[in-house]
Amino acid sequence: MKRRDMMGLALSISSLVMASSDAKGAGLPPEEKPRLCDAACEKELENVPMVTTESGLQYKDIKLGRGPNPPAGFQVAANYVAMVPSGQIFDSSLEKGLPYIFRVGSGQVVKGLDEGILSMKPGGKRRLYIPGPLAFPKGLVSAPGRPRVAANSPVVFDVSLEYIPGLEADEEE
């Protein structure tokens, strides 16, 4: 294959990839972006009791999971939608089309997300109200079309713990 043909093929593939990522919600208006909590879920959340932890993290369980909690240091796969308190999304694994995999409790994510996931079970879904000191103490630069997160501003994460590689949901604790 000639170099020019290979470049054309590479450009075609990259435009297909870009088109498929747009289809997953990246180019949609904010109200049409994929969410973990739809309008019915939002209504139900009004009646769910708020839990406040010692650190100041608050959360409401949307759906309880089953099985063991993830041990600190274990990898977890989670989907999330991160919002400023007004509900504007600034990051989302749903738009990327894959759950986010990280070591929980090891500082790879903001403190409030680590703390919130450590007490969840696989299959669970939760809304985390993360106070500024447990969110982005230095702030977060916004991506184009996304809200900026100021230093020490509170954020809201809807998170679902999809699975814990190596731990099965039906194992006894």
Side-chain angles (χ1 to χ4, degrees):
M1 214 176 205
K2 292 181 182 173
R3 181 173 169 77
R4 186 183 43 162
D5 293 338
M6 287 177 58
M7 292 288 287
L9 179 62
L11 286 172
S12 298
I13 291 170
S14 68
S15 64
L16 280 173
V17 169
M18 293 300 285
S20 71
S21 72
D22 282 348
K24 287 189 172 78
L28 297 174
E31 64 277 2
E32 294 180 36
K33 291 184 185 287
R35 294 184 177 265
L36 286 172
C37 190
D38 60 15
C41 168
E42 292 287 347
K43 187 96 175 119
E44 281 181 44
L45 270 179
E46 293 172 12
N47 302 316
V48 175
M50 181 78 77
V51 176
T52 303
T53 69
E54 224 175 272
S55 71
L57 174 70
Q58 295 183 308
Y59 66 85
K60 291 184 175 194
D61 282 312
I62 297 166
K63 177 185 173 193
L64 294 175
R66 295 185 49 224
N69 296 90
F74 261 65
Q75 277 195 331
V76 297
N79 274 308
Y80 67 90
V81 176
M83 301 166 277
V84 293
S86 69
Q88 286 183 290
I89 296 170
F90 65 85
D91 195 13
S92 169
S93 66
L94 298 179
E95 291 179 26
K96 297 170 182 122
L98 292 170
Y100 184 59
I101 298 175
F102 63 98
R103 291 198 183 283
V104 71
S106 66
Q108 291 183 345
V109 296
V110 296
K111 289 179 184 178
L113 184 56
D114 256 346
E115 181 184 341
I117 288 181
L118 281 167
S119 61
M120 291 178 72
K121 297 179 182 308
K125 196 184 293 187
R126 179 177 280 180
R127 172 158 295 169
L128 302 170
Y129 301 88
I130 304 174
L134 299 178
F136 299 96
K138 295 180 180 173
L140 188 64
V141 178
S142 64
R146 304 291 176 133
R148 182 179 163 273
V149 178
N152 285 311
S153 293
V155 293
V156 177
F157 272 73
D158 284 348
V159 62
S160 64
L161 180 55
E162 301 298 324
Y163 58 93
I164 306 167
L167 289 182
E168 299 306 315
D170 57 5
E171 284 182 19
E172 292 299 315
E173 288 187 271

